[in-house]
Amino acid sequence: MRSKRVFLICAVLVIGVLLFSLSACAKEETTTSSAPATTAAPSTTAGPETTAGPTTTGAPAGEVKTLKIGTIMPQTGPLAILGLAFTRAWDLYAEDVNQAGGVKIGNDTYQIKFIHEDSKGSAEGASTAASKLVNQDKVDLVIGAILESEMAAINQVTEAAGVLYAQANANIPGAPQDVSSDKPLQVRPFINHDETGPIDLDYIAKTYPEAKKIALSVPDIGYEGMVERLQAQVAARGMQIVAQEKWPWGTTDFVPIMTKLNAAKPDIIWAMVSGQANDQLKAARQLGFKGVFVSNSPLGADVFVVTVQDPAALTDVICNSVDVTHPTPEVKKLMDAWQAKWPNDPFISDAVHAYDMPWVMVQVMQKAGAIGDAATLVKTMEGMTNPGDIQTLHGPGYIGGADRFGVNRVLYRPLPLSRIMNGQIEFIGFMEPVKE
Amino acid sequence: MSSLDLWLQATVNGIALGWLYVLMALGLTLILSIMGILQLAHGEIYMLGAYAVHYLVGRGLGLYPAIATSMFIMAVLGIILERGLFRPRSGREVVLCSIVISTGLTLILTSAIVVIFGLYTKSLPLLATGSVEIFGAAVPKDRILAIGFSVLALVLLYLFLKKTRLGLAMIASAQNREGSFLKGINPNRMSMAAMAIGCALAALAGALAGAILQLQPYMGALPMIKGLVIIVLGGLGSIPGALIGGLILGLIDGIVPVFFSPAVASVGPLVVVILVLLFRPKGLLGHD
Amino acid sequence: MWLEVRDLVVRYEGAEVVKGVSLHLEPGEIVTLIGSNGAGKSTILRTLSGLKTPAAGEIWFEGVRIDGQRPQTIVKMGMVQVPQDRGLFPYMTVAENLKVGAYLRKDRKASARDLAEVLSHFPRLKERARQQASTLSGGEQQMLAIATALMCQPRLLLLDEPSMGLSPLMVGEIAKIIREIHEAGTSVLLVEQNSRLALKLASRAYVLETGKIVIEGSAEELLHSEHVRKAYLGE
Ligand SMILES: Nc1ncnc2c1ncn2[C@@H]1O[C@H](COP(=O)(O)OP(=O)(O)OP(=O)(O)O)[C@@H](O)[C@H]1O
Ligand SMILES: [Mg+2]
């Protein structure tokens, strides 16, 4: 009977898919960045760019050369949205630099050229892309990767070829794939996600002195180290973590997690870095949670407002993302440039971190006086540890990380803090990372 | 909070999820048993249904009229797909072709939505905000409404299949294809009806899920898998089987993460499917 | 001629199963087609009903050529088959099966009347109206199959081995029903292996052997034919 055969095929498929999804879970792949939303981007006022980007150096001197930067991001698959946001930001950076006549490094002036490759969200894809960029395009620098597996694959290729690699993410600061002394040519112009912890805790201590009990919602992707740090920071402030729930990557329904966290009667629900903090807020509030909700992630406050909708739920929510409703002039310029170019697509706040990345690397090259030798560039970067050594869209920053990762190859810069009350976003300000 | 409250919240959530899975499984099982094909793009119909609501709401339509319209549009799309792609042609191996075609359709529809709506996550107006107190436990109102709509859809489907001429003919065609030809039943018309109803149910599930959770181009994959699991679990072509299978999966997803861990919940369906296939290969309520 | 089959050839995957069969049937007749296992009887009926397209030959019904037409068209013209496997809907109730039989009747009232009428001929089915078809006995299933076909309002009923697997008592009952149907004005083309029964019911008969008609004539003649008596009546 035909239907019987179909049924068999069906059964085999089901089991196959289930097994596959299980093995995918086990791989613990992840992303951190804000999963973007329907944000109607703030209405743009300015027309096209009139002034040059932050990196302008004035009139060209010496020879005009090309700085070739290869990028590797997922351009297809579920993470494509991040690949899109990042590469768009990089294109806007290149446009800013090139329209201003290029950037002066040493005696030469460079035009910036990006070559974008698709990692397809996989280590194999990233590895192929890296080989192409290094061997065929002969790029001076490789930037990219969302997943830890992609980073490892890229570094393997770039290190062998002696090319500098700037990782574009760190889901798990301190993970084996992150910067470390055994990867001599890998740097990270991207701040640790968990630097927001002490900032949020201090703000809560000041604003909600009664709130002591924290329930933690943790994506199950190797955040143990981050949780440990947070625990110490919490204890240091006389607060305590009363419940902790891990959820698998790919979770869409957060009601079960929030049911369990809420049962511990916390004053604070703390959603650790993930793109789904808004869904978690929605679920927590629907289950009757009335306390403080911390979104320890880059998810824009505006995204919460648009997706959670209910003003009663959008109260006492603390966000650590770039607040696109209160942009600094620099961020505003980037947003305007984005809107002018892609008027139908809402701005994604990840573009702000992304824009900083090549800019930071160019500043390192300027300091070194050459784009050349990767080892020299790493050494130069490791020396830029004084506050203000690096300019970013978030304000002045510096290079650090030796205390955590053994090497000074990580960007530190101010972090934005906002609070949502009754559906209205309050921008609290840019906060310096706290050393502890 | 007492553990009774926990149970209650977990159960209501599980039932709400379960009903969404039931809607998916019903469509799949109708299509599978009447047309004899595996419509692997059914999850994308679910996704399209949700996006259609998003679009219509953006055009100023209310949420409920938008859901109804989306169901209608998806029903029409289902008919078009049946006529254009899935209708058997001589010299074509039906099952294999349907798998190839619908896999391709999955990619095409997902890409189309990415192109039209972008990769951005979208959201729908909430079905309801806040929660109701049941025995002291806060139960999200939107879940209760979602359960209500799904139950209503199932009751209407049941009445249609049992009480109308077309409905009876559909069941007949699922139970004995050739026998139905000899009663003058046009198989193409049954296929069209199965696709129309299946797609409308998927659109409803997608819209409800979109309102409870959120929309993104890849949202169809998970409910599609759940739908297939349910068919294997409940038995091909069995409506009560789809109901029971869906509720089992929903309760696993609702309760297990709360009392055990989400990791256990993700293994749960696999264990259940394997057990059922071992001890009742035709599914819980399947016929031979 | 009312129903006429001319030089019909039917193939299954290249193998010729029906090899140039011609037969005909007039209104009011019961005609039987007998033959042993695998002779091609069911294949001929399936082709008449449009379930199978012939490789060659023509089928005419009421002056319309119907070979290659879709089954529903042929049912609509009044030629209805009760297939060898009975063609029931096993997980539907008796009443639902009968309702499906009336699928082509758009007039709800008329089909309700038909239902009552048909059930009055089958008291056993009436008692079991809410029972699932698969739980009926073999004889009851055959009755249901015939009753369901009657709901289509056939003018020509094609019966494929209605006596198959039934007890002698039940065979008698089915024979009675066939006679009643005939008396009510429906013509019948009866395929049977129970040749004695078939020749008793029919006025004319065809004998099919490996896809060819080898003998045709009145039932009376065939009952006296040497060949038939030896091969089919076991005398
Ligand atoms: N679907 C099919 N595919 C291939 N061969 C078939 C098919 N159906 C029937 N046949 C072959 O056609 C021949 C005639 O079959 P048919 O069913 O018409 O015989 P029959 O006279 O009805 O026999 P019975 O009295 O056993 O029902 C047989 O040899 C059979 O194997
Ligand atoms: Mg036969």
Side-chain angles (χ1 to χ4, degrees), chain A residues 322 326 328 331 393-395 414-417 427-432:
Chain A
V322 174
H326 299 87
T328 60
V331 171
L393 287 181
H394 295 79
L415 290 152
L417 181 65
F427 181 55
I428 293 158
F430 279 104
M431 307 292 179
E432 278 301 325

Side-chain angles (χ1 to χ4, degrees), chain A residues 153-192:
Chain A
I154 295 172
N155 187 59
Q156 212 173 15
V157 175
T158 50
E159 196 179 301
V163 175
L164 186 60
Y165 168 43
Q167 69 186 74
N169 199 358
N171 299 301
I172 310 153
Q177 298 86 351
D178 201 3
V179 287
S180 68
S181 57
D182 59 7
K183 296 183 218 60
L185 302 183
Q186 183 171 338
V187 298
R188 168 147 67 83
F190 186 77
I191 195 164
N192 307 310

Side-chain angles (χ1 to χ4, degrees), chain C residues 12-13 17 35-44 84 160-161 193:
Chain C
Y12 278 115
E13 283 132 29
V17 170
S36 49
N37 289 112
K41 307 180 294 293
S42 297
T43 305
I44 292 175
Q84 194 164 351
D160 197 344
E161 302 199 29
Q193 286 216 44

